[in-house]
Structures are given as C-alpha cells and as structure tokens.
Amino acid sequence: MESRYRNTKDRLVERNDYKLELLIQPGYNKDVWENAAIVLVKKGYKEYKKVIDKMFWCLQDMNWPGSSIIYEELVSINKINLINDYENIVSICLNKNDEEWLYNLYQFSKDCNINRNDFKKLNLYDKMVGVVR
C-alpha cells in the first residue's frame, strides 16, 4: 500500500499541470496535508518560490500535518529570498492578532537568523517581539 502512495507523490512531483497553491493545506481534509507538503518541498525551490507567501500560512499551528515539513524547508532558504514574504505575513498576523502564529513566526526568525535590521518596516519587527515576549 505504501508504494502506491509513494508513486502517487512522485507522479505529482513530476507533473506541472496544476497550481502549486493546491498543495498548501488542500481542502478541508487534514489527512492529505502532510503528503501535499512533501510533494511541494520535493518540487524544489525554483518551482515553489512563487508560493512562499502562502507557505507561511502553514505555520499558524505547528501541530498541523505538514507544518514542520514546510517550516524546515522555509528555514533552509536564504533569508534574502524570503524576507519580503516574511515581513508581509508578520503584518497579516499582527492584524489578525494571532499570538500562536506570531510566536511561530518569531521562532522562525530566530531559526532563520532574521533580525530587526532585515525588515523594511522596523516597527513590524518591534511589534512582533513585543507580543511574543
């Protein structure tokens, strides 16, 4: 049974006839989220870089299936290539007043070596730190 699922994931990695957004927390069934995250990561940075902004939404709850896979992949990217999307998602998170997500994003900044000076809007970083401390 496992080999059939592995083959399905491999086929999805090879195909390019669907939108990558469909792999980010697809539908309402969390049972497929982890496999979708695996496929997305296997697509490689050149493919998924256009949906990095949406990948940060997976970090809202680190207990969600696939969230740790997405987290580790995002941490592996040079911060220069994701800082704009990261700053935007911090802004969205602050507006939503989602403290758990903000904490996860703050932890991400530490793991990715993102600091205040990397932000264009320094007040966003300050607000994030103020909420999580």
Side-chain angles (χ1 to χ4, degrees):
M1 194 76 154
E2 175 60 32
S3 64
R4 185 177 89 194
Y5 292 121
R6 187 177 320 117
N7 290 336
T8 301
K9 287 186 277 189
D10 291 342
R11 280 183 279 182
L12 283 172
V13 170
E14 294 168 2
R15 289 177 48 186
N16 292 315
D17 61 343
Y18 61 92
K19 293 181 179 181
L20 290 181
E21 291 90 349
L22 296 173
L23 296 173
I24 300 171
Q25 298 174 333
Y28 295 101
N29 187 350
K30 289 183 180 180
D31 293 344
V32 299
W33 288 9
E34 186 165 341
N35 286 330
I38 290 168
V39 171
L40 182 62
V41 167
K42 283 186 174 185
K43 293 291 261 178
Y45 175 75
K46 284 185 176 183
E47 289 294 318
Y48 69 66
K49 69 180 179 182
K50 50 193 161 224
V51 295
I52 286 176
D53 60 329
K54 293 167 183 59
M55 291 170 71
F56 279 112
W57 287 83
C58 298
L59 309 185
Q60 285 179 294
D61 186 332
M62 293 307 295
N63 293 312
W64 286 344
S67 62
S68 62
I69 294 167
I70 298 295
Y71 186 94
E72 292 303 318
E73 186 65 19
L74 288 171
V75 167
S76 75
I77 300 169
N78 186 312
K79 68 181 179 180
I80 293 169
N81 296 323
L82 55 77
I83 190 64
N84 289 334
D85 291 322
Y86 178 75
E87 188 170 343
N88 287 336
I89 206 70
V90 167
S91 178
I92 289 168
C93 186
L94 284 165
N95 287 334
K96 289 184 161 290
N97 202 23
D98 186 330
E99 289 184 23
E100 179 180 356
W101 189 13
L102 200 57
Y103 176 80
N104 295 339
L105 291 172
Y106 174 71
Q107 189 62 45
F108 177 84
S109 72
K110 290 170 58 177
D111 292 342
C112 203
N113 198 28
I114 294 174
N115 56 55
R116 185 176 193 270
N117 295 329
D118 294 315
F119 275 66
K120 291 177 185 163
K121 298 177 183 174
L122 301 178
N123 67 324
L124 284 178
Y125 183 85
D126 295 341
K127 286 180 183 177
M128 176 178 65
V129 171
V131 170
V132 298
R133 289 194 174 161

